Amino acid sequence: MKSPHTSPPSARGPADHEVRDQIVAAATEHFSHYGYEKTTVSDLAKAIGFSKAYIYKFFESKQAIGEMICANCLREIEADVRAAVDATGRPPEKLRRMFKAIVDASLRLFFQDRKLYEIAASAAGEHWQATVAYEERIQNLLQDVVQQGRLSGDFERKTPLDETAKAIYLVMRPYLHPLQLQYNIENAEEAPAQLSSLVLRSLSP
Amino acid sequence: MKSPHTSPPSARGPADHEVRDQIVAAATEHFSHYGYEKTTVSDLAKAIGFSKAYIYKFFESKQAIGEMICANCLREIEADVRAAVDATGRPPEKLRRMFKAIVDASLRLFFQDRKLYEIAASAAGEHWQATVAYEERIQNLLQDVVQQGRLSGDFERKTPLDETAKAIYLVMRPYLHPLQLQYNIENAEEAPAQLSSLVLRSLSP
């Protein structure tokens, strides 16, 4: 969508979405070195060589840039999780891999991109749209896996589907929520296997 | 145990443990108004009318007083949890009530004694002895309940007991860990029932 403040693109100028992507890429680079909380839009403008006014043409605030970066990070995690789920046909194994992929991908973000993790943590703490949507998509994926297991006969069908999916999501949530993950790192190695086993026992027909 | 710096009690003076209890009671009162992090031992000494040197006779640091207060809070929560477990004879119901009592008692501490909660949060963040011991006692209680359910025939016996108890503990932990609880408050009303049901399905013989 085009912002009303954007001037019409010249015949040779970059399209709006390309400029937005450039700003997001440069901001990701900058935040990952200097952190999100302490950087202002002025700092960012100076560092990436655009004027502050130019950045404000495309993003209404630092948080709007942060949301975009956060959304990109969460999309990457989600892609890993979906790939793990799709890599096997058996629903019980899908569930195990889903849990493990969530923990692995979230820990990778936590340890490798510590400064970007800070953005995700702000996002989760302040209920940004990007994290709310991410949590919803993970819940939907989980419900799909449970439903596949019901159809294949691997999982019980007595409990209402949404109740089952919601409860399993509550078990997973401490490991995908960035602010909670930091308190579960000592368990992060063994927890996915132990919790998956418990969940699978709860699903047995 | 007596500290080596403690003078021998006079015939009419209070016993050491009485003085310690007095200091802890006064400090609990003070911290619950002014907070733990911002208060120094000097502030505390002034506020409760003892000399700083006198307080240091009984506690080697502010943290040592904080640990004692924290241990008392956790003992109260634990007493509530044990009372809830003992109030019924049926192991599945014990498990449900245990989970609910943990969440209720932890939330009460969180909302009613916000300043004391700050101490528990420091304690959990820094792995104080009091919280480590509390987590161990809750794990043991949980294992006892699972074992009772195995003996009564309510719970399955195929999975090794320690594996079962550890996994259930991992499910409960986000609700008894003070620093994590704050991120689960929106779920705290319904989560105990939903998670207990999932856990009980996982335990069915």
Side-chain angles (χ1 to χ4, degrees):
Chain A
M1 260 210 299
K2 221 197 244 184
S3 141
H5 304 293
T6 312
S7 11
S10 76
R12 306 191 313 170
D16 279 8
H17 71 89
E18 288 172 341
V19 180
R20 291 175 67 93
D21 288 352
Q22 274 172 21
I23 293 173
V24 167
T28 304
E29 179 69 20
H30 188 77
F31 290 145
S32 74
H33 283 97
Y34 302 100
Y36 172 75
E37 291 295 345
K38 287 178 195 159
T39 304
T40 65
V41 173
S42 300
D43 298 336
L44 190 62
K46 250 174 254 164
I48 66 183
F50 284 141
S51 74
K52 203 170 135 182
Y54 190 70
I55 291 180
Y56 276 122
K57 269 191 186 173
F58 296 93
F59 293 96
E60 65 178 11
S61 61
K62 184 177 80 163
Q63 178 172 328
I65 303 174
E67 289 223 21
M68 194 74 99
I69 295 173
C70 178
N72 290 344
C73 282
L74 295 176
R75 289 255 173 223
E76 266 181 53
I77 294 181
E78 192 187 340
D80 279 9
V81 173
R82 285 189 188 274
V85 167
D86 290 343
T88 172
R90 297 188 47 238
E93 189 56 25
K94 280 180 189 286
L95 211 112
R96 280 193 187 282
R97 293 192 189 188
M98 180 174 178
F99 211 138
K100 179 134 181 38
I102 283 174
V103 175
D104 288 350
S106 305
L107 284 177
R108 203 164 53 238
L109 178 66
F110 184 74
F111 283 116
Q112 288 185 3
D113 294 315
R114 198 57 190 262
K115 301 278 186 186
L116 292 182
Y117 178 82
E118 210 188 274
I119 303 180
S122 291
E126 292 159 17
H127 297 283
W128 289 5
Q129 179 52 31
T131 48
V132 173
Y134 166 71
E135 288 206 35
E136 262 177 37
R137 292 194 306 270
I138 295 288
Q139 285 188 65
N140 288 338
L141 176 59
L142 184 59
Q143 183 155 328
D144 290 344
V145 172
V146 173
Q147 177 63 356
Q148 286 170 40
R150 288 179 172 216
L151 294 174
S152 67
D154 286 303
F155 300 157
E156 60 98 1
R157 301 175 209 186
K158 276 176 304 183
T159 318
L161 179 64
D162 58 344
E163 188 185 323
T164 300
K166 178 72 196 298
I168 301 173
Y169 182 71
L170 285 177
V171 173
M172 286 187 178
R173 195 168 176 273
Y175 297 86
L176 59 84
H177 187 291
L179 289 169
Q180 286 191 67
L181 180 64
Q182 60 186 312
Y183 305 114
N184 292 310
I185 284 178
E186 59 202 282
N187 297 319
E189 193 63 47
E190 45 182 12
Q194 292 172 334
L195 290 170
S196 298
S197 296
L198 181 148
V199 164
L200 288 174
R201 287 194 293 276
S202 80
L203 289 169
S204 76
Chain B
M1 263 211 295
K2 220 196 243 183
S3 140
H5 303 294
T6 312
S7 15
S10 74
R12 306 190 316 170
D16 279 9
H17 71 88
E18 288 173 342
V19 179
R20 291 174 68 93
D21 288 352
Q22 273 174 21
I23 293 172
V24 168
T28 304
E29 179 69 20
H30 189 76
F31 290 145
S32 74
H33 282 97
Y34 302 99
Y36 173 74
E37 291 295 345
K38 287 179 197 157
T39 303
T40 65
V41 173
S42 298
D43 298 336
L44 190 62
K46 251 175 251 161
I48 66 183
F50 284 140
S51 75
K52 203 170 137 183
Y54 190 70
I55 290 179
Y56 276 121
K57 270 192 184 174
F58 295 94
F59 294 96
E60 65 179 11
S61 63
K62 184 178 80 165
Q63 179 173 327
I65 303 174
E67 288 224 20
M68 193 75 100
I69 295 173
C70 177
N72 289 345
C73 283
L74 295 176
R75 290 255 173 224
E76 265 181 53
I77 294 181
E78 193 187 338
D80 278 9
V81 173
R82 286 189 187 273
V85 167
D86 290 343
T88 171
R90 297 189 46 241
E93 189 57 25
K94 280 178 188 288
L95 212 111
R96 281 194 185 281
R97 293 191 188 187
M98 181 174 177
F99 212 140
K100 179 135 181 39
I102 283 174
V103 174
D104 288 351
S106 305
L107 284 177
R108 202 164 53 238
L109 179 65
F110 184 73
F111 283 115
Q112 289 183 2
D113 293 315
R114 199 58 190 261
K115 301 278 185 186
L116 293 182
Y117 178 83
E118 209 189 275
I119 303 179
S122 292
E126 293 158 16
H127 296 284
W128 288 5
Q129 178 52 32
T131 48
V132 173
Y134 166 70
E135 288 206 35
E136 263 177 36
R137 291 194 307 269
I138 295 288
Q139 285 189 64
N140 289 339
L141 176 58
L142 185 58
Q143 183 155 328
D144 290 344
V145 171
V146 173
Q147 177 63 356
Q148 286 170 39
R150 288 179 171 215
L151 293 176
S152 67
D154 287 302
F155 301 158
E156 60 98 2
R157 301 175 210 187
K158 278 177 302 181
T159 318
L161 178 64
D162 58 344
E163 189 185 321
T164 302
K166 179 71 196 300
I168 300 173
Y169 182 70
L170 285 176
V171 174
M172 285 186 179
R173 195 169 175 273
Y175 297 86
L176 59 84
H177 188 291
L179 289 169
Q180 286 192 67
L181 179 64
Q182 60 187 311
Y183 304 114
N184 292 309
I185 285 179
E186 58 202 281
N187 298 318
E189 193 62 48
E190 43 181 14
Q194 291 172 333
L195 289 170
S196 298
S197 295
L198 182 149
V199 164
L200 289 174
R201 287 194 294 274
S202 81
L203 288 170
S204 75

